[in-house]
Amino acid sequence: MPSRPGGGSPPPPPAASGDNDQHPHKRKAGESAVDEQQQQQGCSDGQEGEAAVAEVGPVRVASVLNAELDRQHDECAAALEELATQRSTGALDAALSTIRRHFEYEEELLDRHLYPDLASGGAADGGMCGGFNADANMRTSHFADHSRIISAMEEKLAALRKGVEAEAGEASCGSGG
């Protein structure tokens, strides 16, 4: 058997097709990880409400060896735990504010210390004249993750507020005279 870099034996060959029914962690063709998770939680596509929401345990964030970032990570974790417990518009708004503040601080810190050439208006490709730049790609990807998370939270908050306003409007229409 050929040796692998770093030692150890090679991984076992892939299972023959048709074994999916025998192994609980294998998905059938066309089945996504989300589909599998929903099946395990008893969720279906049209199901809404408490039954469709997975239980959330305590949020643990490993230290990044920066006291301020560790403190902010603890704040974010606490806000997410509160959101998981309360499941309210107020808790989502508070979590969004906490996470937005943290992302802004983190992005400023990364630009100052890790990506100064990219952030200071230097060539967007880090002087590569259109070539590949790992730092530029990492920065773009990381900051895009932040934007995606904030956008998803903002969209959910807007939808919840719209729903609350609609419910309040319906209640006032039917309660007067």
Side-chain angles (χ1 to χ4, degrees):
M1 192 175 293
S3 66
R4 297 180 53 187
S9 58
S17 62
D19 287 350
N20 289 340
D21 294 335
Q22 297 172 358
H23 196 283
H25 299 294
K26 293 181 183 174
R27 291 188 285 279
K28 294 181 174 85
E31 182 179 50
S32 73
V34 173
D35 294 334
E36 182 178 40
Q37 183 180 14
Q38 287 179 340
Q39 288 172 1
Q40 291 171 354
Q41 295 170 356
C43 301
S44 66
D45 289 343
Q47 196 171 6
E48 293 181 7
E50 293 297 319
V53 178
E55 290 297 317
V56 177
V59 178
R60 306 247 187 265
V61 182
S63 174
V64 295
L65 305 177
N66 177 296
E68 178 59 21
L69 285 175
D70 286 345
R71 184 190 66 72
Q72 288 184 18
H73 288 157
D74 289 343
E75 286 180 355
C76 291
L80 291 172
E81 287 175 353
E82 182 69 15
L83 175 59
T85 302
Q86 296 298 318
R87 299 177 196 255
S88 68
T89 303
L92 178 56
D93 193 26
L96 174 59
S97 294
T98 300
I99 291 169
R100 179 182 283 128
R101 225 177 10 257
H102 166 65
F103 285 168
E104 288 170 358
Y105 178 82
E106 181 179 282
E107 289 175 8
E108 189 274 327
L109 198 66
L110 289 170
D111 277 345
R112 187 172 352 129
H113 296 287
L114 193 58
Y115 308 122
D117 293 338
L118 299 171
S120 66
D125 65 0
M128 297 294 292
C129 300
F132 176 79
N133 182 302
D135 284 344
N137 289 341
M138 285 187 292
R139 180 183 186 273
T140 298
S141 177
H142 192 112
F143 289 19
D145 287 342
H146 289 178
S147 294
R148 180 184 46 78
I149 291 165
I150 294 296
S151 292
M153 294 177 79
E154 287 173 337
E155 288 171 15
K156 184 63 176 176
L157 187 59
L160 288 171
R161 286 183 173 150
K162 185 176 180 181
V164 168
E165 290 170 7
E167 287 177 14
E170 290 172 11
S172 65
C173 289
S175 66

